[in-house]
Amino acid sequence: MELVSAVAEARKHTELARKADKSVGFVPTMGALHEGHLNLIRACKRETWFTTVSLFVNPTQFGPTEDYRSYPSTLEDDLDACSKEKVDLVFAPTAAEMYPDSYGTYVIQERLTERLCGKARPGHFNGVCTVLAKLFNIIRPDIAYFGQKDYQQTVVVRRLVADLNIPVEIRVLPTVREPDGLAISSRNRYLGAPNSQERQAATCLYRALQRAEEMVAQGEMSSAAILHEMTRIISETPRTRLDYAAIVDPDTLEDVEKIRTTAVAALAVHVGPARLIDNTLLNPRPVPAEGPFRKETQPA
Ligand code: AMP
């Protein structure tokens, strides 16, 4: 496994792989690797010939009051994990390498970035788009891997690569969870010990999403009714503060009133010092055919 921190070095290694006719896979991360990341790396290993992982806590996607300075950093463990997974290249640049003093170009995406997390985190997705545009230009991957846990990010990234004609295929893998349903996240460390009040409370996101799935499976189609239940579950959990609960169209992220086709239920909740997000796809029950198409109602 090669470890590089310079853009030119990363480019050299991926170019060599391409020259050897190897497909290049890419898993962008902010480090503090966990099973969610490893699942992406394993998919990348299965589907491409040269697996690149970036470890970079991107300053431009953090707001001024957010946790950029305190974001967990576990470089040694991350390198061990990558080495065990037989990653070919780890790219771990410094902030100065990615954003030198002369830096002046940012990618701004409209509409999708203003919804859901974009409301509470203005500028966040523009930071994500900026760093990904840079990383895609440096690594030039054939396929890049993302997790469904950050659902809005996957929609924003698909828009980014379509709008800027970046020739990369985007793959999205399911959310990896703890046994009690909590979506694994680097920020779960902020919740403290497994038996802490915050860690116990953090399962409320999954419980609310499961309740939403259950209601849809029972035939409920009204987003208002489902959101009422989800909100109730969060508000009854101590040490939590709801940022948003929403049911949205999977492509436009616009609010959906009646769930007639697949929709996404998404949540952001402050639990103690952590802001946690999670989501699930809601698939309505198929509506039986009606009227003249049904045999028994055919005229004699
Ligand atoms: P991060 O390091 O948090 O920026 O995440 C890097 C990538 O890992 C993103 O595509 C995330 O969506 C993905 N990821 C993070 N946590 C999970 C999880 N629990 N399950 C699946 N993917 C995840």
Side-chain angles (χ1 to χ4, degrees), residues 28-31 34 36-37 40 71 146-147 149-150 153 174-176 184:
T29 81
M30 298 207 296
H34 52 63
H37 298 119
L40 301 182
Y71 196 82
F146 293 86
K149 187 187 83 81
D150 299 273
Q153 176 169 272
T175 303
V176 179
I184 301 181

Side-chain angles (χ1 to χ4, degrees), residues 29-98:
T29 81
M30 298 207 296
L33 298 186
H34 52 63
E35 278 300 318
H37 298 119
L38 297 185
N39 193 43
L40 301 182
I41 292 172
R42 286 170 195 149
C44 186
K45 286 288 299 179
R46 281 196 304 274
E47 296 175 4
T48 68
W49 284 96
F50 188 86
T51 293
T52 305
V53 173
S54 64
L55 307 173
F56 180 58
V57 183
N58 172 38
T60 63
Q61 71 188 66
F62 287 79
T65 59
E66 292 182 356
D67 55 347
Y68 174 62
R69 301 258 160 235
S70 55
Y71 196 82
S73 165
T74 59
L75 185 62
E76 287 305 310
D77 290 349
D78 292 352
L79 294 177
D80 273 358
C82 287
S83 163
K84 279 203 188 91
E85 298 297 332
K86 301 198 165 34
V87 167
D88 297 289
L89 175 67
V90 174
F91 178 44
T94 60
E97 177 72 6
M98 292 293 274

Side-chain angles (χ1 to χ4, degrees), residues 61-290:
Q61 71 188 66
F62 287 79
T65 59
E66 292 182 356
D67 55 347
Y68 174 62
R69 301 258 160 235
S70 55
Y71 196 82
S73 165
T74 59
L75 185 62
E76 287 305 310
D77 290 349
D78 292 352
L79 294 177
D80 273 358
C82 287
S83 163
K84 279 203 188 91
E85 298 297 332
K86 301 198 165 34
V87 167
D88 297 289
L89 175 67
V90 174
F91 178 44
T94 60
E97 177 72 6
M98 292 293 274
Y99 301 105
D101 287 342
S102 55
Y103 195 83
T105 305
Y106 296 87
V107 178
I108 293 171
Q109 187 181 116
E110 296 172 342
R111 290 184 295 281
L112 294 169
T113 56
E114 287 146 27
R115 304 181 177 281
L116 305 176
C117 287
K119 280 193 199 141
R121 307 187 68 190
H124 166 70
F125 287 110
N126 291 335
V128 170
C129 285
T130 300
V131 80
L132 286 176
K134 286 170 66 64
L135 290 167
F136 288 154
N137 275 329
I138 296 165
I139 307 297
R140 293 176 56 203
D142 295 288
I143 310 181
Y145 294 81
F146 293 86
Q148 195 200 311
K149 187 187 83 81
D150 299 273
Y151 187 83
Q152 185 173 12
Q153 176 169 272
T154 66
V155 182
V156 167
V157 172
R158 287 190 197 281
R159 182 82 269 136
L160 168 77
V161 302
D163 287 355
L164 297 187
N165 310 100
I166 303 176
V168 58
E169 195 178 317
I170 302 300
R171 283 256 215 289
V172 177
L173 276 95
T175 303
V176 179
R177 300 179 179 282
E178 300 284 2
D180 65 3
L182 174 64
I184 301 181
S185 162
S186 308
R187 288 191 168 100
N188 288 355
R189 290 158 203 259
Y190 301 158
L191 299 169
N195 59 355
S196 73
Q197 258 199 335
E198 279 87 359
R199 174 61 187 80
Q200 306 285 311
T203 59
C204 68
L205 287 90
Y206 183 62
R207 285 187 282 116
L209 293 171
Q210 274 198 311
R211 180 76 187 112
E213 281 177 18
E214 192 182 282
M215 289 175 79
V216 170
Q218 286 163 356
E220 182 60 77
M221 289 169 79
S222 155
S223 294
I226 297 169
L227 288 171
H228 182 79
E229 269 293 282
M230 290 170 65
T231 310
R232 181 186 62 75
I233 291 169
I234 306 299
S235 67
E236 284 176 0
T237 309
R239 311 194 73 76
T240 65
R241 181 166 57 83
L242 183 68
D243 178 352
Y244 67 77
I247 296 179
V248 299
D249 178 276
D251 301 317
T252 64
L253 305 183
E254 278 172 28
D255 288 331
V256 164
E257 275 179 29
K258 279 246 176 299
I259 304 167
R260 293 199 173 88
T261 57
T262 301
V264 179
L267 275 173
V269 181
H270 294 269
V271 183
R275 179 179 179 278
L276 304 180
I277 58 171
D278 202 348
N279 68 83
T280 193
L281 296 182
L282 300 176
N283 293 303
R285 283 203 312 210
V287 180
E290 275 176 22

